[in-house]
Amino acid sequence: MLDVRRLRVLRELKLRGTLAEVALALNQSPSAISQQLAQLEREVGVELLRKTGRRVALTPQAEILVDHTTAVLERLELAESELGVSLGSATGTVRLAVFQSAALALLPGVLTLLAEEHPALRVEVTQREPETALYETWIRDFDLVVAEQYPGHAAPHHPELDRIPLTTDAIRLAVPPRSRSRTRIATIEQAASSPWVMEPRGAASRHWAEQTCRSAGFEPDVRFETADLQAHMRLVESGNAVALMPDLVWTGRKTGAQLIDLPGLPRRTIFTAARSASVRNPSILACRDALQRTAAQVAAG
């Protein structure tokens, strides 16, 4: 009988690419990972890894094992989920990945609901950019992810991950308060000569913002680049930049910034995703329910 733990190490190598990354993910030393893979090779009696420069590549036989390991892990996760359903209560730990604006707007309410209604449930939260978090949920680093999708920019799809809409919010042009504004801005075209703050290149929000500016007939002067949306807010409110920002970032916060509607009234979609084998797990259901209720409350407010 092949050892599932060693098979999982092989699968992790397929997904992460290097022994060092596998060791980091599994909280083990690289030498321990190498020993487990060597033991697996002895068990199956065939070569599983070949050196290619400084890296290792999986042999065709290793690829076969990885495919079967994926099916085994899915089945085990399904068994855990059905066990939870039979108990009828949300317990254990849920690893939740969430991006910044959703964390600021939703997490306080979500965690309060879960603490009141499911005290035996432990929720571990990590801030991640949506594209990264979706992949990491697929490879089992997280159990549930809150992700976003900008108009005309589909978020990455991964096998085994479902997708349930959570809420939407408007994206508007945020410009400094009138008392701090150097020029009057009432449309995105009038912001063409202003300094801009945007998220780093590679983020879906950055690509969408640049395309929106180009569609308005200009290339934005991006002087400030940060993934911290609270920094965006402060730069706008202090009169030093303009930005395209979704409404969720202003939740529970008064601002003097002027929020201007964009042509077509674009909206961002926020959704949750989990692996199909775990979607009936009471702990995942409890988290999704708390997220839905909190998102509805925020939208109504």
Side-chain angles (χ1 to χ4, degrees), residues 40-120:
L40 183 60
E41 280 193 328
R42 289 192 291 271
E43 288 177 354
V44 298
V46 297
E47 183 184 40
L48 298 177
L49 304 175
R50 291 175 183 159
K51 285 189 176 181
T52 57
R54 295 183 178 181
R55 300 170 70 91
V56 292
L58 274 63
T59 65
Q61 291 72 33
E63 297 282 1
I64 291 172
L65 286 178
V66 167
D67 288 343
H68 284 285
T69 301
T70 299
V72 168
L73 292 176
E74 288 177 13
R75 193 69 188 180
L76 288 173
E77 188 169 25
L78 183 60
E80 290 178 355
S81 182
E82 291 185 358
L83 183 61
V85 171
S86 73
L87 296 173
S89 59
T91 59
T93 300
V94 172
R95 299 164 300 169
L96 173 65
V98 60
F99 60 95
Q100 187 188 35
S101 60
L104 292 171
L106 303 178
L107 270 186
V110 168
L111 296 177
T112 298
L113 281 175
L114 291 174
E116 292 173 350
E117 300 176 3
H118 306 283

Side-chain angles (χ1 to χ4, degrees), residues 122-142:
R122 173 186 172 89
V123 181
E124 297 178 353
V125 181
T126 303
Q127 183 179 316
R128 280 287 194 277
E129 290 304 306
E131 294 88 351
T132 302
L134 285 165
Y135 177 76
E136 291 176 332
T137 302
W138 174 60
I139 65 174
R140 292 179 164 77
D141 283 353
F142 298 105

